[in-house]
């Protein structure tokens, strides 16, 4: 089987082929198409899965059916170990081949996969799904198989071994589900993303029904926030009514509420009776998306449970109450699936619409067009984005042309000739596929590009010039960026200052915190001193004693307030202080524990041992912050000396863009706290050449000179 990167699976074959193709061929294809490192343990797991499947399907070896390994659900970012399509049913298999997994966590993940298939996978809407938790070497009896509800067609999860899986499959196939249509293998595997209508309704109402304390940006609805939200709602209504396409740029200082606006627009959209009311909140910030999804899910689950308990209390008959509870069972998987409909990662969205396209023309006339030979032949719409409104948070971080085209050419083998297009240009081209109307909303953080390859605001202005049928709405604030100001010629920009958020709502005691941080980083000493005197309700402290810093944070924070330690990702010599930076690509469990874990959890922010960097906290916030300032950025003789730690020593950073990213990293971590912060500058040690005292003394003296009080 020849596989290219655009496929959502790493290997697929018919059931019949599974018994005729040797292990080496299958493993070779899986290894070739694996986007992660393939080690011996991975290969052993695959071999075990192949062997178990042959045992499970031995009595069906002459049937066509479907077998697919490592299947990724469209736009949802879940990868299933194995999928088997047989006689109109789809078996969703997760294997436990090691001893390190948590059974409950892994089973919950399997149930989440099945829920997401049912909710987002067009070809699975009416297809019975059977989740199977496979422990090949376990001693198990054949499980009881319960008939699924007519509405959902999802079987309860069953746990099987290599010895019981065959009999279990036979029992499932005996369940009377009426007439089932044979599964079209290619259509199922290439199914487009398309949420079911009930999920759309849930997504519309979910956020409107409650506040989410864990991620609430302000708790106060400032006029600034409401004005911008109303302006966007009006533009969306206008675009829909007049069949037009708009690019809307929303700018704002750190903490002004851009993320909250994005979520509000995505979930409180007006005209709920309209079928074309489809919107999605997108971000390339993986930690932000993970925390938002988890926080909203927890909150929604609790509210649903409270509502269910209230309803159960009114039912007197015990049997009736039990039956009602069973039918209306609240599950985290179903709720999280609802959340995922309107909060998604931009890489998943982007990958979905790289499918089924080809390059036409060249040079200035190059375009991306629908590939009419694309193998998916079902009735789902895979080419036109499901969403009419896309909201891109931190849009300044979208990739520049070189970075984006390089990525696409490497990952998508059918697009080796992908043009030198930036991510903004490609994303706009996707939304331009709509025949009627579309709105692309870019939420832009000023001075918050923090990584290589980020295009900045100017690239959206360059890209829109390729779509003459689009109108641009933006605040005058975008002209403060010299690159944007130089690029607006030839673009019909409708200026509306309602699209700029000037008030910092995150720092509820400090309207001028963002300005103070800007002056601090720009070494505008006198202005910084003046602004600091106005921050009387927002305490900022300075110390060289880490324990003293932690004690100050704990003494100030109320029981309901979150606090934690932050540092620049280049602050690599904080380890001697037992401050360990979270990895740049920290997994969901790590990030969720840090932001949402309680005070008893040692991996939560409260312990101030695991340190979040700009990559985890951009777009999020805590109440109190301990900001650790390492030797990566040092104040010397009136300017910043910038460094990266490499090969056991500090090296100068000379490239201008990398220097800017580092300054912006400090801008991010210095503006995360809502109520106050303490800046900790290590003393260092002359006995350690990587932590020499002179690396830190200048920085401490500079911060002190601004008037920041010492502990």
């Amino acid at each position: 089987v020849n596989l290219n990167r655009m496929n959502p699976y790493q290997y697929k074959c018919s059931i019949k082929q599974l018994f005729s193709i040797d292990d080496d061929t299958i493993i070779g294809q899986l290894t070739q198409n694996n986007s992660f490192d393939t080690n011996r343990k991975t290969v052993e797991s695959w071999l075990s899965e192949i062997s178990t499947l042959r045992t499970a399907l031995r009595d069906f070896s002459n049937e066509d059916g479907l077998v697919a390994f490592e299947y990724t659900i469209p736009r949802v970012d879940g990868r299933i170990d194995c999928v088997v399509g047989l006689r109109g049913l789809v078996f969703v298999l997760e294997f436990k081949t090691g001893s390190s997994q948590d059974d409950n966590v892994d089973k919950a993940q399997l149930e989440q996969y099945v829920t997401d298939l049912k909710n987002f996978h067009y070809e699975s809407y009416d297809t019975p799904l059977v989740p199977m938790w496979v422990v090949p070497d376990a001693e198990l009896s054949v499980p009881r198989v319960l008939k699924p509800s007519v509405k959902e067609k999802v079987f309860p999860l069953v746990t099987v071994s290599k010895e019981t899986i065959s009999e279990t499959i036979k029992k499932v196939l005996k369940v009377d589900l009426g007439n089932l249509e044979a599964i079209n293998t290619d259509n199922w595997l290439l199914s487009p993303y398309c949420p079911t209508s009930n999920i759309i309704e849930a997504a519309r109402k979910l956020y409107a029904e409650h506040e989410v304390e864990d991620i609430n940006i302000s708790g106060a609805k400032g006029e600034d926030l409401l004005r911008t939200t109303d302006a966007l709602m009006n533009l969306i209504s206008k675009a829909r009514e007049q069949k037009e396409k708009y690019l809307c740029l929303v700018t704002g200082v750190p903490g002004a509420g851009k993320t909250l606006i994005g979520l509000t627009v995505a979930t409180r959209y007006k005209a709920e009776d309209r079928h074309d009311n489809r919107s999605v909140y997108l971000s390339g910030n993986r930690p932000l998306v993970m925390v938002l999804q988890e926080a909203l899910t927890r909150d929604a689950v609790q509210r649903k449970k409270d509502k269910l308990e209230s309803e159960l209390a009114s039912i007197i008959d015990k049997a009736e109450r039990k039956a009602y509870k069973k039918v209306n069972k609240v599950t985290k998987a179903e709720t999280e699936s609802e959340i995922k409909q309107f909060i998604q990662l931009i890489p998943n969205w982007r990958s979905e619409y790289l499918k089924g396209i080809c390059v036409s023309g060249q040079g200035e006339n190059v375009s991306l067009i629908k590939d009419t030979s694309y193998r998916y032949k079902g009735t789902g719409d895979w080419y036109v984005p499901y969403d009419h409104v896309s909201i891109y948070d931190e849009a300044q971080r979208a990739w520049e042309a070189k970075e984006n085209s390089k990525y696409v050419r490497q990952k998508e083998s059918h697009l080796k000739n992908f043009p030198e297009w930036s991510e903004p240009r490609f994303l706009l081209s996707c939304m331009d596929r709509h025949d009627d109307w579309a709105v692309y909303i870019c939420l832009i953080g000023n001075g918050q590009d923090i990584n290589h390859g980020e295009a900045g605001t100017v690239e959206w202005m360059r890209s829109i010039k390729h779509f003459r049928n689009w109108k641009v709405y933006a605040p005058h604030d975008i002209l403060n960026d010299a690159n944007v100001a130089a690029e607006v010629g030839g673009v019909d920009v409708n200026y509306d200052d309602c699209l700029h958020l000037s008030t910092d709502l995150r720092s509820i005691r400090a309207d001028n915190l963002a300005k103070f941080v800007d002056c601090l980083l720009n070494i505008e000493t006198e202005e910084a001193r003046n602004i600091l005197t106005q921050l009387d309700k927002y305490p900022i402290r300075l110390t060289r004693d880490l324990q003293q810093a932690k004690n100050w944070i704990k003494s100030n924070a109320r029981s309901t307030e979150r606090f934690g330690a932050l540092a620049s990702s280049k602050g690599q010599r904080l380890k001697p202080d037992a401050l360990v930076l979270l990895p740049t690509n920290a997994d969901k469990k790590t990030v969720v524990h840090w932001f949402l874990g309680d005070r008893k959890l040692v991996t939560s922010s409260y312990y101030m041992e695991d340190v979040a960097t700009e990559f985890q906290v951009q777009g999020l916030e805590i109440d109190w912050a301990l900001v650790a300032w390492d030797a990566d950025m040092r104040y010397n003789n009136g300017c910043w000396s910038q460094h990266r730690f490499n090969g056991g020593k500090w090296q100068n950073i000379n490239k201008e863009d990398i220097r800017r990213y580092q300054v912006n990293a400090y801008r991010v971590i210095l503006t995360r706290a809502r109520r106050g912060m303490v800046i900790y500058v290590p003393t260092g040690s002359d006995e350690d050449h990587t932590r020499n005292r002179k690396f830190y003394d200048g920085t401490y003296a500079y911060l002190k000179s601004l008037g920041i009080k010492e502990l």
Side-chain angles (χ1 to χ4, degrees), residues 655-669:
K655 290 188 66 174
E656 188 56 38
D657 56 344
I658 305 300
R659 290 173 64 85
R660 185 178 75 253
Y661 300 148
Q662 186 181 36
V663 171
N664 286 344
Y666 273 89
R667 177 176 286 106
V668 168
I669 62 176

Side-chain angles (χ1 to χ4, degrees), residues 448-701:
Q448 293 191 56
D449 48 327
I450 58 175
N451 206 1
H452 172 70
E454 295 177 0
T457 309
V458 66
E459 186 54 41
W460 291 94
M461 200 59 66
R462 291 194 190 106
S463 297
I464 201 63
K465 293 180 179 180
H466 297 283
F467 304 94
R468 295 295 181 179
N469 59 324
W470 284 63
K471 294 182 179 180
V472 179
Y473 290 85
H476 285 92
D477 181 73
I478 63 168
L479 300 176
N480 293 336
D481 184 328
N483 292 323
V484 174
E487 197 67 44
V488 294
V491 179
D492 182 14
V493 181
N494 300 277
Y495 290 102
D496 183 350
D497 288 334
C498 289
L499 299 178
H500 175 66
L501 295 162
S502 59
T503 304
D504 180 356
L505 297 178
R506 175 183 296 126
S507 306
I508 55 180
R509 300 179 182 176
D511 291 341
N512 294 319
L513 178 63
K515 292 181 181 178
F516 170 71
V517 171
D518 277 343
C519 291
L520 183 159
L521 294 174
N522 294 332
I523 314 181
E524 298 171 358
T525 309
E526 286 303 318
E527 184 65 15
R529 290 192 188 111
N530 291 335
I531 296 175
L532 186 61
T533 62
Q534 302 170 30
L535 298 176
D536 54 315
K537 295 181 180 180
Y538 184 93
I540 303 176
R541 297 293 183 267
L542 183 65
T543 186
R544 309 196 79 167
D545 185 323
L546 181 58
Q547 191 56 52
Q548 195 176 42
K550 290 183 177 181
N551 291 341
W552 184 82
I553 290 283
K554 292 176 181 177
S555 65
N556 277 280
R558 298 172 183 170
S559 60
T560 58
E561 294 177 336
R562 179 166 292 276
F563 53 82
L566 310 176
S568 157
S569 61
K570 288 184 171 60
Q572 295 293 318
R573 291 304 296 141
L574 295 170
K575 289 181 180 179
D577 286 330
L579 295 173
V580 181
L581 304 186
L582 295 183
T584 298
N585 295 315
D587 60 22
K588 180 176 181 178
K589 182 178 180 181
T590 299
V591 174
V592 167
H593 280 186
W594 198 91
F595 278 103
L596 302 178
D598 61 32
R599 291 173 184 258
K600 295 179 181 179
L601 188 64
V602 297
T603 52
S604 74
S605 66
Y606 292 117
Y607 269 73
M608 291 184 282
E609 295 174 355
D610 290 334
V611 182
T613 72
E614 69 273 16
F615 292 109
Q616 286 86 44
V617 300
Q618 189 175 47
L620 291 164
E621 75 285 322
I622 53 181
D623 292 302
W624 298 86
L626 188 164
V627 178
W629 199 304
D630 201 10
D632 57 322
M633 199 160 91
R634 314 166 193 168
Y635 182 87
N636 284 317
N637 300 319
C639 63
W640 294 114
S641 174
Q642 296 175 243
H643 308 264
R644 63 160 60 90
F645 194 73
N646 188 27
K649 62 180 181 181
W650 292 103
Q651 297 177 339
N652 291 329
I653 298 176
N654 297 314
K655 290 188 66 174
E656 188 56 38
D657 56 344
I658 305 300
R659 290 173 64 85
R660 185 178 75 253
Y661 300 148
Q662 186 181 36
V663 171
N664 286 344
Y666 273 89
R667 177 176 286 106
V668 168
I669 62 176
L670 288 167
T671 55
R672 292 308 98 183
R674 300 175 69 232
R675 295 189 176 274
M677 65 177 159
V678 56
I679 302 174
Y680 163 66
V681 182
T683 303
S685 171
D686 290 337
E687 296 178 0
D688 183 347
H689 72 282
T690 68
R691 304 182 83 236
N692 195 291
R693 285 175 176 267
K694 66 181 180 181
F695 296 168
Y696 302 95
D697 289 346
T699 302
Y700 190 83

Side-chain angles (χ1 to χ4, degrees), residues 13-17 60-67 85-86 185:
C13 64
S14 66
I15 294 175
K16 187 183 299 184
Q17 289 172 322
F60 308 97
S61 59
N62 290 320
E63 299 198 21
D64 290 329
L66 159 68
V67 176
L86 178 62
T185 296

Side-chain angles (χ1 to χ4, degrees), residues 14 210 330:
S14 66
H210 60 270
V330 176

